[in-house]
């Protein structure tokens, strides 16, 4: 009895003869657990795969937002610092070809204090940030003109500063037409007429270019940004298509921008409209945002009424 | 000695190991990212709340909005001004939450200065008047 009891794995169980193989219950449970584990793994694997794809898509979207948010940033700068340029018909983003865009990044802006008598000189607040060699645009509600800043002159910190434009590169449609006819008197008359009235805005802008190129190694596309003649740098990659369009709603005056990026099933569309209101375009100063405050800073050197005559 | 262990114990042990492996497998992978959002779209949402008076603040009052976006949003109404135009002043500050990747547009935070030119009207008239990106590296 003692020998039989010792040979049992635990009390009450019969001795097992391994030569007989598995019982039906063991085979059933083995198969059942195997199916259970396999199906769980299959479900989990699919879920993980879809999560990975979703996560990769979200990561791509964050990267794409970097570019699309930056584009909107440039538009919003125009809307807050030079809305009159947007109402004049100036387009900050221009499609230059099927895969090329020109983007004007606003640098600084100031209203001109006096009516322009010559197309090569404008007077602004002496606390401006314009410098020689910059591209600039002059805008009023109806027109805009491209200029190249030749030099700046500040005589007195309390009086308007002069901004001089390069005569050769200053764009003036009236001078251009009189040059064609060769009528010097007409040219002089046109030269003396004020080109832009006071309170038109002078805006310095940096032209940038976005260029789309195929990435042959990954069979996708790359978006490059180039500043002027400088080397281009990669700003967006890992996508199949990129769309950027600007239009103006003539009835409301709103500037509408549509952009979209896609890679396979992962796509991002962003559209926004700007209502360039002239209400916040003050001719006496500018709103500034510091770490803590939002305050209005008046222009220095505003001419007195008798000086304007 | 192993021959004495019954088949059921083997099967249950293998099953347990399988379950633990599955559990560990399910925990692997990168941390989930916050859903991608444009900071500009979020600013329009907040501006619209202020415009429609769904978000009302008294002058000098601040409010932090945690749950509506991937960004933590601090809305502050400053004291109203009369010059150059009567307006209510607001600042909106967007700070990326912990699970927002460094997507390059801003690093630390992004601030907007917004004026409401019709602070007493039922529907406001909001305009962005100043923008500031704070690009210092996030701590």
């Amino acid at each position: 009895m003692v020998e039989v009891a010792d040979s049992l794995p635990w009390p009450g169980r019969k001795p097992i003869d391994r030569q007989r193989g598995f019982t039906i219950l063991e085979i059933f449970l083995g198969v059942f657990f195997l199916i259970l584990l396999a199906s769980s793994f299959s479900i989990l694997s699919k879920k993980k795969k879809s999560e990975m794809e979703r996560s990769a898509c979200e990561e791509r979207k964050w990267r794409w937002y970097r570019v699309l948010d930056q584009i909107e940033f440039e538009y919003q700068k125009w809307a807050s610092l030079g809305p009159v340029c947007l109402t004049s018909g100036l387009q900050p983003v221009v499609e230059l070809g099927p895969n090329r865009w020109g983007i004007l990044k606003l640098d600084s802006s100031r209203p001109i204090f006096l009516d322009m008598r010559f197309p090569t000189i404008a007077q602004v607040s002496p606390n401006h940030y314009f410098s020689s060699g910059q591209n600039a645009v002059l805008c009023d509600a109806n027109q805009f003109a491209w200029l190249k800043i030749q030099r700046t002159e500040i005589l007195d910190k309390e009086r308007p500063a002069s901004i001089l434009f390069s005569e050769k590169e200053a764009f003036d449609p009236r001078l251009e037409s009189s040059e064609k006819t060769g009528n010097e008197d007409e040219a002089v008359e046109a030269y003396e007429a004020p080109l832009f009235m006071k309170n038109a805005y002078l805006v310095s802008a940096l032209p940038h270019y976005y260029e789309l190129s195929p990435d042959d190694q990954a069979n996708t596309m790359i978006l490059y940004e180039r500043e002027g003649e400088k080397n281009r740098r990669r700003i967006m990659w890992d996508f199949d298509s990129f769309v950027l369009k600007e239009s103006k709603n003539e009835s409301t005056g709103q500037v509408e921008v549509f952009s979209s990026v896609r890679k396979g099933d992962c796509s991002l569309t962003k559209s926004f409209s700007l209502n360039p209101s002239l209400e916040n375009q003050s001719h006496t100063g500018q709103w500034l945002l510091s770490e803590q405050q939002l305050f209005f800073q008046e222009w220095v050197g505003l001419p007195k009424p008798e000086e304007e005559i | 000695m192993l021959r004495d262990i019954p088949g059921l114990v083997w099967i249950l042990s293998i099953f347990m190991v399988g379950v633990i492996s599955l559990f560990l497998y399910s925990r692997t992978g990168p941390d989930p990212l916050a859903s991608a959002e444009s900071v500009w779209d979020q600013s329009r949402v907040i501006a619209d709340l202020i415009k429609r008076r769904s978000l009302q603040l008294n002058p000098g009052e601040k409010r932090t909005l945690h749950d509506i976006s991937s960004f933590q949003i601090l809305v502050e109404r400053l004291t109203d001004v009369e010059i150059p135009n009567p307006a209510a002043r607001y600042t909106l500050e967007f700070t990326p939450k912990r699970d927002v990747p460094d997507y390059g547009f801003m690093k630390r935070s992004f601030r907007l200065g917004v004026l409401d030119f019709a602070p007493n009207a039922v529907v406001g008239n909001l305009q962005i008047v100043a923008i500031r990106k704070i690009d210092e590296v996030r701590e």
Side-chain angles (χ1 to χ4, degrees):
Chain A
M1 281 297 286
V2 174
E3 284 176 8
V4 172
D6 286 347
S7 69
L8 290 173
W10 56 80
R13 177 159 178 117
K14 290 178 182 175
I16 295 164
D17 184 356
R18 278 280 157 214
Q19 298 302 318
R20 287 188 308 155
F22 295 105
T23 63
I24 291 174
L25 179 68
E26 285 167 346
I27 292 168
F28 171 76
L29 279 175
V31 171
F32 174 74
F33 285 149
L34 196 69
I35 291 169
L36 199 67
L37 285 173
S39 57
S40 301
F41 177 75
S42 170
I43 292 165
L44 196 63
S45 180
K46 277 181 191 166
K47 198 177 158 192
K48 292 269 298 176
K49 196 180 167 190
S50 89
E51 264 177 24
M52 292 285 276
E53 279 172 6
R54 197 160 53 87
S55 179
C57 182
E58 288 300 326
E59 201 179 341
R60 269 189 213 112
K61 283 183 182 175
W62 278 114
R63 280 206 310 268
W64 296 344
Y65 266 132
R66 170 194 180 170
V67 175
L68 303 187
D69 277 356
Q70 186 64 39
I71 290 170
E72 184 167 355
F73 179 66
E74 302 305 333
Y75 271 98
Q76 294 284 359
K77 275 201 324 197
W78 281 97
S80 64
L81 297 173
V84 69
C85 291
L86 294 180
T87 57
S88 73
L90 180 122
Q91 288 182 295
V93 174
V94 183
E95 202 166 350
L96 300 170
N99 291 327
R100 198 158 180 263
W101 294 264
I103 295 190
L104 276 172
K105 296 193 172 183
L106 185 148
D107 187 44
S108 69
S109 73
R110 292 288 184 273
I112 60 171
F113 281 168
L114 300 168
D115 293 347
M116 280 175 82
R117 300 292 294 172
F118 302 98
T120 53
I121 187 163
Q123 285 170 310
V124 300
S125 171
N127 65 346
H128 64 78
Y129 297 108
F130 300 121
S131 59
S132 56
Q134 280 186 315
N135 290 304
V137 59
L138 253 169
C139 319
D140 65 21
N142 305 310
Q143 60 174 339
F144 64 91
W146 293 106
L147 304 156
K148 187 98 171 174
I149 296 175
Q150 194 177 41
R151 66 176 198 274
T152 63
E153 287 178 358
I154 300 174
L155 297 174
D156 183 346
K157 285 184 179 175
E158 298 300 318
R159 296 175 68 82
S162 298
I163 309 295
L164 286 92
F165 307 111
S166 170
E167 203 166 351
K168 285 181 184 173
E169 292 173 81
F171 175 71
D172 176 11
R174 285 172 299 175
L175 273 180
E176 197 176 53
S177 64
S178 59
E179 274 171 10
K180 278 175 189 167
T181 58
N183 188 334
E184 293 297 321
D185 295 337
E186 195 184 331
V188 170
E189 190 186 342
Y191 205 74
E192 288 178 349
L195 296 175
F196 284 86
M197 306 293 278
K198 72 169 187 174
N199 293 338
Y201 258 72
L202 178 65
V203 178
S204 61
L206 305 167
H208 283 234
Y209 300 95
Y210 282 1
E211 293 164 350
L212 208 55
S213 293
D215 181 0
D216 297 329
Q217 289 179 339
N219 207 20
T220 53
M221 304 292 280
I222 301 177
L223 187 70
Y224 292 96
E225 182 179 6
R226 193 160 55 80
E227 181 190 338
E229 298 302 314
K230 289 181 186 171
N231 287 338
R232 61 185 192 175
R233 64 186 182 94
R234 195 176 70 152
I235 54 167
M236 192 164 72
W237 57 94
D238 195 22
F239 62 94
D240 300 329
S241 69
F242 173 69
V243 178
L244 177 60
K245 282 181 180 162
E246 181 196 306
S247 60
K248 190 171 180 183
N249 189 326
E250 294 299 334
S251 57
T252 61
Q254 283 192 331
V255 177
E256 288 164 1
V257 181
F258 173 84
S259 53
S260 116
V261 193
R262 170 180 288 277
K263 188 188 180 188
D265 295 333
C266 183
S267 67
L268 178 64
T269 301
K270 179 173 157 68
S271 56
F272 59 91
S273 56
L274 293 169
N275 196 0
S277 166
L278 301 183
E279 206 168 359
N280 63 330
Q281 182 86 82
S282 170
H283 302 300
T284 56
Q286 185 180 31
W287 285 96
L288 294 173
L289 193 58
S290 70
E291 280 285 343
Q292 301 294 329
Q293 269 294 339
L294 173 66
F295 60 96
F296 188 74
Q297 187 183 55
E298 286 193 348
W299 303 127
V300 183
L302 268 169
K304 291 167 189 161
E306 62 268 23
E307 290 177 310
E308 293 183 17
I309 299 164
Chain B
M1 191 180 165
L2 286 172
R3 286 167 60 96
D4 294 335
I5 300 172
L8 268 177
V9 176
W10 276 111
I11 289 163
L12 283 171
S13 304
I14 292 166
F15 178 68
M16 290 304 290
V17 170
V19 168
I20 290 165
S21 305
L22 275 178
F23 174 74
L24 291 175
Y25 172 63
S26 71
R27 307 278 293 182
T28 57
D31 291 335
L33 289 175
S35 61
E37 285 173 359
S38 162
V39 71
W40 288 108
D41 292 343
Q42 292 306 309
S43 72
R44 273 188 283 276
V45 170
I46 304 301
D48 202 54
L49 290 175
I50 297 170
K51 185 180 171 183
R52 308 269 168 213
R53 311 301 182 211
S54 303
L55 177 63
Q56 287 186 314
L57 299 176
N58 296 317
E61 191 181 345
K62 286 182 189 179
R63 195 172 299 173
T64 306
L65 309 172
H66 291 283
D67 303 328
I68 63 170
S69 165
S70 295
F71 301 96
Q72 181 178 295
I73 305 165
L74 174 66
V75 186
E76 182 176 7
R77 182 174 174 180
L78 307 168
T79 51
D80 295 355
V81 289
E82 293 298 321
I83 297 170
N85 307 97
R89 295 181 298 162
Y90 291 88
T91 59
L92 314 180
E93 183 167 334
F94 299 83
T95 311
K97 286 184 185 166
R98 198 167 278 277
D99 52 353
V100 169
D102 180 4
Y103 75 113
F105 176 68
M106 60 172 159
K107 287 192 169 58
R108 207 186 88 188
S109 64
F110 177 72
R111 297 186 81 212
L112 292 176
V114 179
L115 293 185
D116 182 358
F117 290 104
N120 301 318
V122 178
V123 177
N125 175 13
L126 270 69
Q127 294 286 337
I128 296 170
V129 291
I131 307 165
R132 189 183 164 108
K133 270 204 283 186
I134 301 165
D135 273 347
E136 292 156 35
V137 178
R138 222 188 310 174
E139 289 169 11

